[in-house]
Amino acid sequence: MLELRNVSYQIDNRKIIQEINLKIESGETIAVVGPSGSGKSTLFRLINNLISPTQGELYLNGDAYETINPEELRMEVSYLLQESDLFDRTIGDNLAFPANIRNDKFNRKRAKALLKAVGLGHYNFNTSVSHLSGGERQRITIARQLMYKPKILLLDEATSALDIHNSEKIESLIFKLADEGVSILWITHSNDQSMRHFQKRIRIVDGQIEKEEDLR
Ligand SMILES: Nc1ncnc2c1ncn2[C@@H]1O[C@H](COP(=O)(O)OP(=O)(O)OP(=O)(O)O)[C@@H](O)[C@H]1O
Ligand SMILES: [Mg+2]
């Protein structure tokens, strides 16, 4: 489904990503670990097509990235950023955003269900996100990201601001998507999380895959 062939990314003579080869199947769940500054988020930015490799190629279902319309690609490859990027309006405005950019009707029922699934069912759409805590904002961001089901979901420390109870809630929501065929790549610092449900773990060090482990 997704393939990286010999992908490098260089800025100012420094190779931040070095010759990465990786194949990801549909429904596969991969934990991405590695020290701070090793290139994990940069790898995700490449996979999300926010930046282009300075060497090598990426393919989605056999099509080279440069032949795919960037907007379409980003709808199939969804990237949940390291920091929450909600806009300071209401919860409803934020959850309606994915429909707006697609010129689609806001699915209020799905939004309600997702709000509940992330443990925020007690809020309504009119609540302003500026009043919410960091962890609550993070959970709204996750709900917004899941308004449409992507083919590949990239999560960058998506539960860093959450307590155990809420992390587990989010994990079960995410891994249910994997059962439905969504490929999951999840940058995580928590070893527990890596061990619990993932099929594979890759460790990035100095922009390279230092280790690829099968956890099944
Ligand atoms: N646009 C850029 N210009 C210069 N350097 C960059 C740029 N983007 C990333 N880097 C550098 O590349 C390295 C990898 O950054 P990246 O954000 O991918 O690390 P990371 O593994 O996600 O780290 P963390 O775990 O702290 O989030 C860092 O040293 C960073 O400073
Ligand atoms: Mg990062």
Side-chain angles (χ1 to χ4, degrees):
M1 136 146 318
L2 178 77
E3 190 179 353
L4 279 74
R5 275 190 218 155
N6 204 29
V7 167
S8 298
Y9 183 71
Q10 180 168 343
I11 301 180
D12 309 328
N13 290 327
R14 179 174 162 222
K15 266 195 181 172
I16 296 170
I17 293 294
Q18 308 194 52
E19 284 142 37
I20 287 198
N21 289 292
L22 187 63
K23 265 190 192 167
I24 297 148
E25 305 303 334
S26 135
E28 201 170 12
T29 54
I30 302 176
V32 180
V33 300
S36 178
S38 60
K40 304 178 298 295
S41 296
T42 305
L43 178 66
F44 277 17
R45 296 224 301 282
L46 286 161
I47 295 174
N48 192 234
N49 202 28
L50 290 168
I51 53 175
S52 298
T54 48
Q55 187 198 310
E57 293 272 3
L58 291 96
Y59 300 86
L60 183 64
N61 296 320
D63 296 324
Y65 266 33
E66 59 268 21
T67 68
I68 308 172
N69 174 309
E71 276 166 29
E72 276 170 32
L73 193 132
R74 251 168 252 139
M75 286 179 191
E76 300 200 332
V77 181
S78 173
Y79 181 11
L80 195 58
L81 296 173
Q82 201 160 6
E83 32 331 284
S84 162
D85 63 340
L86 298 178
F87 41 86
D88 275 333
R89 300 242 292 269
T90 66
I91 289 177
D93 290 337
N94 276 282
L95 295 181
F97 180 72
N100 294 341
I101 57 171
R102 288 168 171 83
N103 289 317
D104 201 359
K105 192 170 159 279
F106 177 39
N107 186 340
R108 300 179 72 91
K109 215 173 133 193
R110 183 174 174 87
K112 263 273 167 257
L114 279 166
L115 209 52
K116 202 170 159 214
V118 299
L120 296 174
H122 51 291
Y123 284 124
N124 61 47
F125 291 160
N126 297 325
T127 308
S128 168
V129 299
S130 55
H131 302 321
L132 302 180
S133 74
E136 287 172 333
R137 292 172 69 94
Q138 202 171 30
R139 283 181 280 154
I140 299 285
T141 311
I142 294 166
R144 182 184 63 182
Q145 204 77 9
L146 300 181
M147 283 299 295
Y148 289 84
K149 194 161 81 178
K151 291 210 167 70
I152 296 162
L153 181 60
L154 309 169
L155 299 133
D156 204 335
E157 292 175 45
T159 53
S160 58
L162 304 185
D163 54 59
I164 288 276
H165 171 72
N166 279 304
S167 312
E168 284 176 355
K169 249 181 134 84
I170 302 298
E171 279 172 33
S172 71
L173 181 65
I174 301 290
F175 284 96
K176 213 162 75 199
L177 286 174
D179 292 337
E180 296 167 19
V182 180
S183 313
I184 311 287
L185 278 109
W186 195 332
I187 297 172
T188 169
H189 282 296
S190 143
N191 271 326
D192 295 356
Q193 191 183 49
S194 313
M195 297 310 290
R196 234 183 347 253
H197 317 272
F198 290 99
Q199 296 166 348
K200 211 191 248 183
R201 177 166 53 193
I202 62 175
R203 183 172 168 78
I204 310 283
V205 177
D206 292 334
Q208 288 174 307
I209 296 180
E210 186 216 53
K211 200 155 121 193
E212 192 168 338
E213 288 168 281
D214 218 317
L215 304 174
R216 277 166 290 196

